[in-house]
Amino acid sequence: MPLMTTKPMFDLAYAGGFAIGAFNVNNMELAQSIIDACAKEKSPCILQISKGARKYANIRYLKAIIDAAVAEHPEIPIAIHCDHGDTVELIKTCCDDGYTSVMIDGSHHEYEENVKVTKQSVDYAHAVGVVVEAELGMLGGIEEDVVGMDAHEYEKNIEKFLTDPQQAADYAKRTGIDSLAVAIGTSHGAYKFKHDAKLAFNRVEEIMKTCPGLPLVMHGSSSVPQEFIDLVNKYGGKMPNAKGVPEDQIHLAATKYGVCKVNIDTDLRLAMTAKIREVFATKPAEFDPRNYLGPAREAITAMVQRKLHVLNSAGKTDAVIAQWKKLGSPMPKFYK
Ligand code: G3H
Ligand code: 13P
Ligand code: ZN
């Protein structure tokens, strides 16, 4: 049952030249596509659930779907992660629901309040064997339940929002977090840059020096491939000026720096939407959901496979399982 925390994954990823893809799950098709891609590529993965996903799908359904995926594919190391948990209460609920990893996102608070809610989350989660990611700095982009800001404003004032390396060291020491989500120029959604798409790798290097060995996390890491934007627009969509992080920069972050987890949601949404639009436009008489959700599922699988190669996590399942066993096959209390 290689459901696990992210620890065995990050132990290997930190200096191993790869990162784990964290993909957002909102329904059965997304979960199946991600797992199918990981099975094909022999890649570990993180299935993450946002507050919006909990609201949309009902966590009992989502958890049951993920449990089914784990049972179907015991050969894949899988972590269930809470994406952007914004309160300590939500973190506690996720730990009690059987998540193996949680993110407390206190980045919208003043620093001392962020430290406080993060520490409270860590105390609760660690006591039940769950690992904690937390965020320092500010990301741009606005999602349903995630705080952010307009891409133009963000780019204009970028220096002010990037993670401060000295503060990161203080934060990690005072909270005991297991991984740190850093603001280095990425943002959520499909409109990440008005100008040049560029990440602050010098900032990552500085953070790696002030926080040696701390696994780093990149949010907002979709690439918004132009061919998918073109398909969406060709079949009746309207997404002008969409722009993501170039895949070569994601590859660099995953392979040459201490980035262990890379969050991708928008690219999966794009693959799904482009395919559904194509079916509707080319087969206007179609009304069986299986005949548009099925092709959409295949398109998401192909997108995830592509990402697993960008992150260089393909072929890493056995090594991660070996590391998990070496650590004594740790599991959160929920599963004991
Ligand atoms: O970081 C945000 C993720 O893309 C989740 O978005 O809050 O709309 O589910 P959501
Ligand atoms: P994207 O919007 O770039 O896919 O980022 C997703 C994310 O960071 C989820 O936490
Ligand atoms: Zn995010």
Side-chain angles (χ1 to χ4, degrees):
M1 127 114 168
L3 183 65
M4 60 180 69
T5 73
T6 53
K7 176 153 175 55
M9 302 180 185
F10 294 174
D11 279 356
L12 298 187
Y14 189 84
F18 68 99
I20 311 294
F23 303 103
N24 288 72
V25 176
N26 289 281
N27 62 20
M28 182 187 76
E29 282 76 11
L30 280 157
Q32 288 176 329
S33 311
I34 298 162
I35 293 301
D36 188 23
C38 288
K40 286 183 167 131
E41 301 297 340
K42 297 191 185 316
S43 172
C45 74
I46 299 166
L47 299 177
Q48 54 186 15
I49 302 171
S50 71
K51 194 172 157 185
R54 287 180 70 97
K55 206 158 58 188
Y56 170 76
N58 178 338
I59 187 57
R60 294 182 83 168
Y61 286 86
L62 280 186
K63 180 66 169 54
I65 289 166
I66 294 175
D67 287 345
V70 171
E72 281 285 310
H73 288 286
E75 79 284 8
I76 307 175
I78 300 173
I80 308 178
H81 176 77
C82 162
D83 190 28
H84 293 283
D86 57 348
T87 62
V88 180
E89 282 321 303
L90 177 56
I91 295 303
K92 290 180 179 174
T93 304
C94 291
C95 291
D96 298 347
D97 282 344
Y99 290 48
T100 64
S101 171
V102 289
M103 174 198 194
I104 172 73
D105 183 355
S107 62
H108 49 287
H109 292 305
E110 289 302 318
Y111 181 60
E112 285 303 326
E113 184 64 16
N114 189 359
V115 170
K116 188 172 141 198
V117 296
T118 303
K119 177 78 174 81
Q120 287 172 350
S121 302
V122 168
D123 287 347
Y124 190 90
H126 281 183
V128 292
V130 172
V131 293
V132 181
E133 169 189 331
E135 180 170 321
L136 199 57
M138 174 101 172
L139 262 73
I142 298 166
E143 301 291 316
E144 198 185 327
D145 281 292
V146 177
V147 181
M149 72 166 55
D150 169 76
H152 190 54
E153 275 306 298
Y154 187 70
E155 254 176 286
K156 239 173 42 191
N157 299 295
I158 187 81
E159 277 299 316
K160 174 163 111 199
F161 300 122
L162 298 183
T163 304
D164 178 309
Q166 300 302 333
Q167 198 176 55
D170 181 69
Y171 184 63
K173 192 166 146 217
R174 288 170 64 191
T175 58
I177 50 171
D178 302 283
S179 60
L180 178 69
V182 290
I184 54 162
T186 63
S187 54
H188 294 112
Y191 305 91
K192 300 186 191 299
F193 301 96
K194 290 258 192 245
H195 304 104
D196 277 357
K198 218 166 74 226
L199 300 186
F201 284 112
N202 53 345
R203 197 55 78 105
V204 182
E205 279 172 353
E206 288 171 40
I207 297 166
M208 287 174 71
K209 278 189 202 138
T210 59
C211 304
L214 183 65
L216 304 180
V217 178
M218 267 173 45
H219 282 247
S221 297
S222 280
S223 304
V224 192
Q226 189 58 42
E227 61 268 35
F228 286 84
I229 294 298
D230 291 344
L231 278 176
V232 167
N233 290 337
K234 175 176 170 190
Y235 293 118
K238 199 171 174 193
M239 297 187 70
N241 308 319
K243 198 168 182 178
V245 185
E247 280 177 344
D248 58 347
Q249 293 204 35
I250 300 291
H251 182 73
L252 193 63
T255 55
K256 299 266 188 297
Y257 294 89
V259 172
C260 297
K261 173 173 179 273
V262 172
N263 286 15
I264 297 171
D265 184 4
T266 295
D267 284 348
L268 276 51
R269 295 179 182 193
L270 279 178
M272 184 170 200
T273 301
K275 185 49 80 176
I276 290 174
R277 279 194 177 282
E278 183 187 326
V279 175
F280 285 169
T282 56
K283 298 177 184 162
E286 185 57 69
F287 73 102
D288 181 341
R290 293 169 298 189
N291 293 337
Y292 51 87
L293 291 177
R297 190 166 56 185
E298 284 168 21
I300 303 165
T301 300
M303 176 65 87
V304 174
Q305 283 183 265
R306 165 180 175 158
K307 297 295 164 183
L308 299 175
H309 286 281
V310 171
L311 301 176
N312 199 27
S313 69
K316 300 292 197 294
T317 49
D318 291 353
V320 169
I321 289 174
Q323 176 64 11
W324 177 62
K325 288 187 176 157
K326 196 170 143 196
L327 295 171
S329 309
M331 289 302 288
K333 198 169 153 194
F334 179 92
Y335 294 96
K336 287 177 183 158

